[in-house]
Amino acid sequence: MRLNVSAWSIRRPIPAVVAFAVLTILGLVSFRSMSITRFPNIDIPIVQVLITQSGAAPSELESQVTKKVEDAVASLNGVWHLISTVTDGSSSTIVQFSVGSVDIDRALNDVKDQIAKIRSDLPRSIDEPIVNRVDIEGLPIVTYAASTPGLSVEQLSWFIDDSVARDLQSIRGVGEVKRSGGVDREVRVSLDPEKLLALGVTAAAVNEQVRADNAVFIFRRRRPNH
């Protein structure tokens, strides 16, 4: 003889109501005591391939480096998205895998293996490719956009670096402030071959001196922030 729970609850409502109330109370107590992670660890398999070549133009890097890297890693299992950025002397390819399709360590090893296979096809003058994982937890959590019609791009970039970035770095809990976009300050030095020959100085020596002076300037400028 099967027990008809619905009919039994109708004939004896008190035990059913008490059982329902007890289960409800136990559920509420368990929910309130359950720990909740506000910022859970996010493990998204993302790998970056960075290849640099001093003096190489973006078009040259795109055809000789970036295209070959993309073709090599595109065939890997679980690849969801590829993002490549090519600048003067630098080629960066971000390989994003589908969440749950592959472990991050395995994805990193697979990308390294693919880059090793095409290493002989890449130009010999490039620096050794750097393949590393991208830590999502270390990425910026707040991004602001700044624009003003009263300042040029150079003036706005300098204002961000000299004023805004320093004020933000002084706030407790801020780890790093980085500007994306705009322009960077640079100084162009034009050399006179005849004067260099007369003074017995080479262009390489001038380059080393400029690098040394620039390093001292950066050190003196950043020292007060520490």
Side-chain angles (χ1 to χ4, degrees), residues 30-218:
S30 300
F31 178 78
R32 293 178 62 87
S33 62
M34 183 174 58
S35 60
I36 300 176
T37 303
R38 294 184 178 180
F39 303 101
N41 294 329
I42 302 176
D43 189 11
I44 301 178
I46 301 178
V47 180
Q48 180 188 32
V49 181
L50 179 62
I51 299 177
T52 57
Q53 182 180 8
S54 180
S59 58
E60 180 182 357
L61 283 174
E62 183 180 3
S63 60
Q64 298 182 4
V65 176
T66 308
K67 185 66 168 57
K68 295 180 180 180
V69 171
E70 290 180 343
D71 293 341
V73 300
S75 60
L76 292 176
N77 182 30
V79 173
W80 178 62
H81 202 52
L82 290 175
I83 302 176
S84 294
T85 303
V86 184
T87 58
D88 291 335
S90 176
S91 171
S92 175
T93 301
I94 302 295
V95 186
Q96 183 174 351
F97 294 83
S98 300
V99 178
S101 63
V102 64
D103 181 70
I104 181 59
D105 295 329
R106 179 180 177 182
L108 180 61
N109 292 330
D110 291 344
V111 174
K112 287 183 177 180
D113 293 340
Q114 292 299 107
I115 299 302
K117 291 179 181 179
I118 65 169
R119 181 63 180 86
S120 59
D121 298 333
L122 300 177
R124 295 184 177 180
S125 57
I126 65 171
D127 298 326
E128 192 63 25
I130 300 176
V131 182
N132 52 15
R133 60 178 295 180
V134 178
D135 187 8
I136 298 298
E137 296 180 0
L139 294 180
I141 60 175
V142 178
T143 302
Y144 295 100
S147 64
T148 175
L151 298 177
S152 62
V153 178
E154 294 81 5
Q155 293 173 337
L156 179 59
S157 301
W158 172 249
F159 173 73
I160 296 296
D161 295 338
D162 188 60
S163 300
V164 177
R166 292 190 177 186
D167 292 341
L168 292 177
Q169 287 176 347
S170 63
I171 300 176
R172 183 179 180 182
V174 175
E176 183 182 8
V177 178
K178 183 181 297 183
R179 172 175 56 84
S180 177
V183 295
D184 297 325
R185 300 185 67 192
E186 64 178 15
V187 177
R188 296 186 178 182
V189 180
S190 300
L191 303 178
D192 189 342
E194 296 182 357
K195 291 184 178 180
L196 289 177
L197 184 61
L199 297 174
V201 180
T202 63
V206 176
N207 183 40
E208 292 297 330
Q209 185 61 41
V210 172
R211 286 178 177 270
D213 293 342
N214 187 47
V216 173
F217 171 74
I218 294 177

